[in-house]
Amino acid sequence: MIPHNLPTLGMEEQAAAARVLASGWVAQGPEVEEFENELCRFLGLPDGHAIAVSSGSAALFLALWALDGKNKLIGLPVYACAALRNAVGLVEGKCAYLDCEENGPNVDMAAAAKAGVDILIAPSMFGIPVDLPNARDYLLIEDLAQALGARVGGERIGLRGELGICSFYATKLITTGGQGGAVISRDRALIERVRDYRQFDSRKDTRLRFNFQMTDMQAAVGRVQLAKLPEFVEQRERLFGIYANAGLELLGPLTASMQPVRYRAVMRCTAPSRLIETLQNNGIRAIVPVEQWELLDEPEKYPMASRLASTTVSLPIYPTLAAGDARRVAGIAGDFA
Ligand SMILES: *Cc1c(COP(=O)(O)O)cnc(C)c1O
């Protein structure tokens, strides 16, 4: 069976985890700090501007909390995962659901401006950079969970708003051994607020904080994965090229200045369930990337998101997928293009 997705974990990750276990220090410590700083260097930030946490969801909550999200109107796309709604709920903000842009999976920025949101969560879905306006009158959180390493105008994205968040869950571009996340920002004051929140133990005041820490064992695995990310991105790009060359209509960036990372190979298709079934019969697992029932609000109110949910299939794409297997997938999918 060719799975839809697979983390790429090797001997180096095993050795890194074993090294931490043998050291006797497994909680948040020096490995987490190194991982944070390596993430900063990857993104072009000064050291100390990333906070590693236990998940992307925790990172989203912390970003919203740092911006005083309680009772604020928080814009989020309906075409996204429940983690966004959960974070808004935990911070006690008010959800303003938004449709997709006309021809892509990202949030409709015009709708965000019209909704009068105080804060916007803007994911770059499937690794395709979200197209952000030059001027805005709301605070912005860039959700990089699916797009770590993507660029706009040559610059790595994630830092175009007040804060950004990463996820290192098992299925993302890199993983810190199953779960993990990070908050990033150019703004040192915001980063220090998040750091203080994460440092929940042995504090002399009575302010509420919470344990969202990453462990050194996770961070050690993450360091190896981060070093491999450019290679992963290249391998994914090659596989994406196989699908594109086969004539499949794939979701991609809307402007030439955008350099996506191929987190997902999502093809437009008029009969998604028939394609998924046919692939399944050939030992290949494909999925609808965001299903109709997964939309975060009533589908009929969001025509773009609704149409995308009913006319797309996500094909297998992960660094260790063999080129020959991708060609076989492309051959079958080509009949449904
Ligand atoms: C995965 C994901 C998250 C949540 O990250 P977790 O680490 O799974 O909590 C948030 N936003 C987007 C766009 C994601 O894909």
Side-chain angles (χ1 to χ4, degrees), residues 73-75 96-98 108-118 120 137-138:
L73 189 62
I74 300 168
Y97 292 110
L98 303 164
D108 180 353
M109 298 308 295
K114 232 170 64 189
V117 300
D118 301 304
L120 176 68
D137 54 8
Y138 46 82

Side-chain angles (χ1 to χ4, degrees), residues 148-216:
L148 185 64
R151 298 172 196 257
V152 171
E155 292 238 358
R156 289 227 161 93
I157 63 167
L159 301 163
R160 294 174 292 175
E162 276 63 33
L163 293 142
I165 72 102
C166 304
S167 167
F168 309 118
Y169 179 60
T171 64
K172 303 299 161 96
L173 289 154
I174 61 169
T175 182
T176 46
Q179 299 279 2
V183 182
I184 53 174
S185 179
R186 294 187 197 281
D187 186 328
R188 192 68 196 225
L190 287 175
I191 280 294
E192 292 311 323
R193 283 199 79 187
V194 174
R195 193 191 309 281
D196 179 84
Y197 193 100
R198 184 187 62 173
Q199 196 51 44
F200 67 94
D201 200 15
S202 307
R203 303 302 296 256
K204 293 208 169 105
D205 59 64
T206 56
R207 281 190 2 229
L208 292 181
R209 300 176 179 88
F210 205 77
N211 182 359
F212 286 127
Q213 292 183 2
M214 178 182 281
T215 70
D216 260 19

Side-chain angles (χ1 to χ4, degrees), residues 1-6 276-287 316 318 321 325 328-329:
M1 186 80 186
I2 298 173
H4 173 250
N5 197 356
L6 197 64
I276 290 168
E277 197 188 321
T278 306
L279 288 169
Q280 181 79 30
N281 293 338
N282 284 274
I284 299 156
R285 176 109 176 100
I287 63 165
Y318 48 88
L321 178 65
D325 283 339
R328 200 156 66 81
V329 175

Side-chain angles (χ1 to χ4, degrees), residues 55-57 60 81 83-84 123 125 143 145-146 165 167-169 172 179-180:
S55 69
S57 299
L60 261 180
C81 58
L84 276 67
M125 294 297 288
D143 180 339
Q146 303 189 0
I165 72 102
S167 167
F168 309 118
Y169 179 60
K172 303 299 161 96
Q179 299 279 2

Side-chain angles (χ1 to χ4, degrees), residues 112-313:
K114 232 170 64 189
V117 300
D118 301 304
I119 303 171
L120 176 68
I121 304 171
S124 288
M125 294 297 288
F126 310 145
I128 304 166
V130 58
D131 196 6
L132 296 174
N134 293 322
R136 54 179 162 91
D137 54 8
Y138 46 82
L139 301 170
L140 178 69
I141 298 169
E142 260 205 80
D143 180 339
L144 261 192
Q146 303 189 0
L148 185 64
R151 298 172 196 257
V152 171
E155 292 238 358
R156 289 227 161 93
I157 63 167
L159 301 163
R160 294 174 292 175
E162 276 63 33
L163 293 142
I165 72 102
C166 304
S167 167
F168 309 118
Y169 179 60
T171 64
K172 303 299 161 96
L173 289 154
I174 61 169
T175 182
T176 46
Q179 299 279 2
V183 182
I184 53 174
S185 179
R186 294 187 197 281
D187 186 328
R188 192 68 196 225
L190 287 175
I191 280 294
E192 292 311 323
R193 283 199 79 187
V194 174
R195 193 191 309 281
D196 179 84
Y197 193 100
R198 184 187 62 173
Q199 196 51 44
F200 67 94
D201 200 15
S202 307
R203 303 302 296 256
K204 293 208 169 105
D205 59 64
T206 56
R207 281 190 2 229
L208 292 181
R209 300 176 179 88
F210 205 77
N211 182 359
F212 286 127
Q213 292 183 2
M214 178 182 281
T215 70
D216 260 19
M217 193 173 69
Q218 291 176 296
V221 172
R223 292 179 67 193
V224 176
Q225 290 265 294
L226 184 60
K228 291 182 179 176
L229 178 57
E231 189 189 321
F232 290 167
V233 168
E234 228 174 88
Q235 287 156 333
R236 287 171 172 275
E237 188 67 43
R238 253 199 311 275
L239 294 165
F240 196 91
I242 290 173
Y243 292 146
N245 289 335
L248 307 183
E249 197 191 330
L250 299 160
L251 297 187
L254 303 177
T255 69
S257 67
M258 291 181 176
Q259 261 180 279
V261 285
R262 307 303 187 176
Y263 173 64
R264 289 269 189 265
V266 178
M267 73 175 273
R268 290 184 194 276
C269 161
T270 49
S273 33
R274 273 207 301 126
L275 171 55
I276 290 168
E277 197 188 321
T278 306
L279 288 169
Q280 181 79 30
N281 293 338
N282 284 274
I284 299 156
R285 176 109 176 100
I287 63 165
V288 173
V290 178
E291 302 245 23
Q292 197 83 15
W293 60 262
E294 286 180 284
L295 298 183
L296 299 182
D297 196 13
E298 295 154 52
E300 50 279 11
K301 292 198 224 156
Y302 308 90
M304 295 301 156
S306 187
R307 198 178 51 165
L308 209 53
S310 57
T311 56
T312 46
V313 170

